[in-house]
Amino acid sequence: MKKPIGFEIKLEEGSKIVKIPIPDEQKEEWNQFTGGKGYIDYLKEFIGGEKNYEIANNALSAAMHSSLSQTVKDNCLFCHGKSDDESDKACTVYHLQMNVTYFFAGNEFVNIVLNNRNIYEDKVALQQLTINFFNSLRFIKNEGKMYLDLEQLCRFALKANFSAISKKFSESEIFKNLQIINETLNHIEELDLENKVLQEEDENYLDLQKTFFEQKQRYYKEKLLLEKENPNSKVTFGKKVKTRISLSKTVLYYYYLQQVGKFPYFENHPEGKVKAIEEVINRDKIKTTIKHFQLKYNFINNHKTNRIAKNQVANIDYVANTMLKNYPEAKELALSELKLAQTKDR
């Protein structure tokens, strides 16, 4: 069981919080040490850009304020205009301890993501996990205290990891998947044995990981057997013959995911729209240029008539029923537009 992360400041009666400014040279040293990128920058990237982070941060600030007792609010000299000294803010110590908790919790979350490449590379899973990070922040009512439910967050991370791995497996050859699964199961069993020998607690959810990979192993073994027995199968000895998906279908796929909040909008990327598209092209190994992808995307995104034209029926049909089968909300939106496209004159 993971221990929660929380911070509490205890002051002697009559004491005040005083701000000590950090010298510019010390700030510069810190920026060089961290590479100029802090946990807030990572959270903005993970959640899909500045706008999405602002929404989450506003909700967090409101929850912090709601956790304060009415007595603290009523006795605040600063808020009631009885003092111009910010150190007289009755809520200062409470907001400070919650922000310190946020600092440690945020950095812990960033470390979890950066140490798990599967999650980091799957922007859909990453965005949902970041939302769940904010959902894992708990508040103690009337005490102005906040803590991170690390156990809950780690389980969310495990779920995101399973989702990202499943997506990778679905795009790979069966033999390759089975090889990875076998090696992973062997590694899990070695770790489990080591824990038992040293009488250490399992902190990596090895039982759950083992269950996941054993299920995948059964699935791909059965799939391989069925494909070998099927004379009309497009797979020979487990090797998947990939059907090249057109750029038009790929662009529609990301468009519908964005519309239902399952993939961040390209323009919300911290480094801009072009960088976001470049990452998608590289990650999905799409054979096109950034400019061509952007032109196709703008064509269907900027004008609905282009997207639901008669000549898009086959594309939308494929995207809805094949590419979006694991995203019911996006699939529903695509099918609704498919009906519109089917009734178009041209």
Side-chain angles (χ1 to χ4, degrees):
M1 188 77 173
K2 303 284 187 182
K3 293 182 179 179
I5 294 175
F7 189 85
E8 181 180 7
I9 298 175
K10 291 185 177 180
L11 295 177
E12 293 183 7
E13 190 174 348
S15 300
K16 294 182 179 180
I17 299 291
V18 178
K19 291 183 180 179
I20 302 175
I22 301 174
D24 292 339
E25 59 269 19
Q26 196 169 334
K27 289 181 181 178
E28 183 62 30
E29 287 179 10
W30 176 255
N31 285 334
Q32 291 177 1
F33 176 74
T34 61
K37 192 170 184 178
Y39 74 102
I40 297 293
D41 299 304
Y42 280 111
L43 288 175
K44 289 177 182 177
E45 175 192 341
F46 295 169
I47 204 169
E50 186 88 37
K51 190 181 295 183
N52 289 346
Y53 177 78
E54 186 178 344
I55 294 171
N57 192 49
N58 287 341
L60 176 62
S61 297
M64 285 182 176
H65 187 72
S66 295
S67 71
L68 301 176
S69 69
Q70 192 59 46
T71 303
V72 170
K73 298 173 186 176
D74 292 341
N75 295 337
C76 183
L77 300 177
F78 185 90
C79 293
H80 289 285
K82 296 179 180 179
S83 173
D84 295 328
D85 187 351
E86 289 201 8
S87 65
D88 283 329
K89 283 185 176 180
C91 61
T92 298
V93 65
Y94 300 101
H95 279 293
L96 179 58
Q97 66 187 14
M98 286 189 279
N99 280 316
V100 171
T101 295
Y102 186 43
F103 171 82
F104 285 111
N107 278 288
E108 180 67 19
F109 174 62
V110 169
N111 287 333
I112 289 173
V113 172
L114 296 183
N115 287 325
N116 195 316
R117 197 178 74 178
N118 290 321
I119 298 175
Y120 184 71
E121 291 179 349
D122 189 329
K123 300 307 179 187
V124 176
L126 176 58
Q127 185 183 50
Q128 185 58 52
L129 178 59
T130 309
I131 293 170
N132 284 330
F133 160 70
F134 284 99
N135 291 335
S136 298
L137 293 170
R138 310 285 191 229
F139 297 87
I140 301 178
K141 189 70 174 174
N142 295 324
E143 293 187 27
K145 296 176 185 176
M146 180 179 83
Y147 65 93
L148 173 66
D149 188 339
L150 187 57
E151 173 71 17
Q152 183 69 42
L153 178 61
C154 286
R155 289 181 178 275
F156 279 134
L158 196 64
K159 180 173 179 271
N161 190 36
F162 289 163
S163 175
I165 291 172
S166 295
K167 184 177 178 182
K168 279 192 173 183
F169 280 164
S170 70
E171 298 168 349
S172 301
E173 297 174 0
I174 295 178
F175 276 167
K176 183 179 179 181
N177 290 344
L178 286 172
Q179 182 181 11
I180 293 171
I181 291 169
N182 286 339
E183 291 175 354
T184 304
L185 280 172
N186 182 60
H187 180 61
I188 290 172
E189 287 170 357
E190 287 178 350
L191 290 176
D192 188 37
L193 180 59
E194 184 178 314
N195 285 340
K196 290 175 181 175
V197 170
L198 299 177
Q199 295 184 319
E200 292 183 349
E201 184 181 352
D202 173 23
E203 295 184 353
N204 297 306
Y205 309 96
L206 294 178
D207 287 343
L208 289 175
Q209 291 193 58
K210 188 176 180 181
T211 299
F212 170 79
F213 284 104
E214 285 178 340
Q215 185 273 326
K216 289 297 178 186
Q217 186 181 58
R218 287 193 300 272
Y219 170 76
Y220 284 110
K221 280 184 176 179
E222 291 172 5
K223 186 175 183 182
L224 180 59
L225 179 63
L226 290 171
E227 288 172 344
K228 281 183 177 180
E229 292 177 349
N230 181 6
N232 298 318
S233 173
K234 293 182 181 179
V235 178
T236 304
F237 298 107
K239 188 172 182 179
K240 191 174 180 179
V241 179
K242 292 185 178 180
T243 302
R244 186 177 175 184
I245 299 174
S246 69
L247 182 57
S248 295
K249 293 186 180 73
T250 302
V251 166
L252 281 167
Y253 169 74
Y254 281 106
Y255 169 82
Y256 288 123
L257 286 180
Q258 289 172 338
Q259 295 305 304
V260 297
K262 295 299 182 182
F263 193 86
Y265 288 103
F266 297 130
E267 54 266 31
N268 288 340
H269 192 283
E271 296 181 44
K273 187 174 183 179
V274 173
K275 183 64 177 177
I277 292 174
E278 181 185 7
E279 288 182 357
V280 167
I281 290 174
N282 291 336
R283 187 183 67 248
D284 293 353
K285 296 180 176 59
I286 304 170
K287 293 183 178 180
T288 188
T289 63
I290 297 173
K291 185 175 181 180
H292 192 200
F293 187 104
Q294 189 169 357
L295 287 172
K296 282 279 188 180
Y297 179 82
N298 290 342
F299 180 79
I300 64 104
N301 181 57
N302 296 343
H303 304 286
K304 185 177 180 179
T305 52
N306 293 336
R307 194 171 61 255
I308 60 170
K310 197 75 173 177
N311 60 7
Q312 291 282 9
V313 168
N315 289 335
I316 300 175
D317 188 16
Y318 182 86
V319 171
N321 294 300
T322 303
M323 299 175 73
L324 294 173
K325 60 183 179 181
N326 294 325
Y327 301 98
E329 294 176 355
K331 179 179 179 179
E332 184 180 353
L333 174 60
L335 289 174
S336 68
E337 293 207 335
L338 175 61
K339 291 180 180 179
L340 295 175
Q342 288 171 333
T343 59
K344 294 278 287 189
D345 295 331
R346 55 187 175 85

